[in-house]
Amino acid sequence: MPAIVSAKAIHKHFGTLHVLKGVDLDVAERELVFVIGPSGSGKSTLLRCLNRLEQPTSGSITVDGIDMLSSKTDINHARQRIGMVFQSFNLYPHMTALGNVTLALRKVAGKSRAEADRLGQAALERVGLADRAHHRPAELSGGQQQRVAIARAIALEPKVMLFDEPTSALDPELVGSVLAVMRSLRESGMTMVVVSHEMGFARAAADRVVFMDHGLIVEQGAPAQIFETPSHERTRAFIGQIQRH
Amino acid sequence: MSSWDRFLHTFFNLQVMEKYLPDILSGMVLTIELALAVVVAGLLAGLILALIRSLGIRPLNWLIIFVVDIFRSLPPLVVIVLIYFGLPAAGLSASAFVSTWLSLALVLMAFSEEIFWAGITSTPRGQWEAARSTGLSFSQTLFSVILPQALRITIAPLTNRTIAITKGTALGTVVALHEILGMASSAVSNSYNPSPLMMGAAAYIVLFLPVVVAARWIETKFAWKR
């Protein structure tokens, strides 16, 4: 299957810190790739390079045929194809849920207010929050806020969705609602790259698990293979650690 | 004459007050005009400087910081005197009104730039990232996402500073500007009676108390739960 995301030889330095040391990652259409690894392994940085929130020091990235690192690429246009969900939700506190979802529809996709509202309402429907459209983020639970953030991303009909630890800031009882939305996105055929430690979700939904450590991909494979029979000692140690909790 | 009568005769002399009321009123009109001009020019210039600073062009930012720090350290009175008495040496001249307006506007610009800038930088980085990740440009993000939040944070310090600097219109007396205090003190000299000064004080309260109350109202209206 052709890769919709293709990152080659990605290096990233923050000053003297070498965070990514030559990472290759291809993601096929409709694939769900799970990226795991200890903190500081570079997994979030890799994700943020894919939509150029971080500028890689070197390497190449194409998403849906667009060279993301070329200076000729209209990055704002390209980013419409790549939805991103953050650990801390990052909803706009001065807007309603619907306002959050429709801002880019109006400003970037150029929809009229009526059309943006219709699409925004449909996106909120998909995450089960149609009845919360006129609530401010402060009036929503963490789980609801994260689902609004997912609606904000999918309203633009992206080709790929990036999730950066989407459930890490949530109380345990709210995690399920967010994972349910991600599962339904998955079933609709969305290509997804997920940085997360939700191993249960990874086992159930992921096509591939990628283990990163010290800025490199150590090994990757089907969830069962990575979790049951990892071939590297570091992978084994990491899986053992998180499964003990 | 009892001491109470003497007090009234000195500080609330109705004859003197009646005579100089028109002067105080014309001083009030001038003070209002000057204050509005200072607030509009000062806040607008401060906001524009903060927006330019957010572009992150190093030499430009050094220049902004330099100018802003100068006007934050100079007493407004000194700036008024420098402009009024100093500009003619450069072949330019500014009226008492323009000198006072320009000085106070520059000082308000300097302080409000710092306040706007603090508001912009205190808006969480994640807000920028979320907006940019949906394809919004730098300026779309700045105007639709960052500024509305930054302005809410800045309302309280901004209104405080604006009121403090606007009251500086009284400094115009040093360049013989006929605003409230100028009118009141010349009436005091002419009548040998301090009653006009009490009228002046009353005029400031009439002008600024509503502004202070309005500021408080704006602060509560723009506060929102996080």
Side-chain angles (χ1 to χ4, degrees), chain B residues 25-188:
Chain B
L25 288 179
S26 86
M28 271 180 88
V29 171
L30 191 95
T31 296
I32 293 172
E33 288 170 356
L34 181 59
L36 287 178
V38 166
V39 170
V40 170
L43 293 183
L44 202 63
L47 180 59
I48 289 170
L49 284 190
L51 292 178
I52 295 174
R53 193 167 167 188
S54 71
L55 296 175
I57 304 163
R58 280 260 176 88
L60 217 52
N61 286 4
W62 289 332
L63 186 68
I64 291 172
I65 292 167
F66 176 73
V67 169
V68 158
D69 284 356
I70 292 283
F71 282 107
R72 289 201 302 161
S73 5
L74 282 174
L77 183 61
V78 173
V79 185
I80 294 175
V81 170
L82 275 178
I83 289 179
Y84 188 73
F85 296 106
L87 274 191
L92 296 162
S93 73
S95 66
F97 185 92
V98 169
S99 302
T100 313
W101 166 72
L102 192 59
S103 309
L104 296 179
L106 285 170
V107 173
L108 181 56
M109 169 193 84
F111 279 100
S112 66
E113 188 280 332
E114 280 300 303
I115 295 171
F116 285 130
W117 177 245
I120 291 172
T121 52
S122 69
T123 305
R125 190 181 159 74
Q127 293 288 311
W128 282 101
E129 294 181 344
R132 296 306 303 272
S133 79
T134 61
L136 261 65
S137 67
F138 176 87
S139 60
Q140 285 172 329
T141 303
L142 185 60
F143 285 104
S144 297
V145 176
I146 305 301
L147 263 191
Q149 299 181 55
L151 291 181
R152 271 167 221 245
I153 304 172
T154 57
I155 288 268
L158 207 57
T159 49
N160 271 334
R161 187 51 76 175
T162 302
I163 290 165
I165 291 172
T166 314
K167 281 189 296 189
T169 48
L171 296 171
T173 44
V174 297
V175 290
L177 185 68
H178 300 300
E179 47 68 63
I180 297 172
L181 187 64
M183 286 308 223
S185 44
S186 66
V188 169

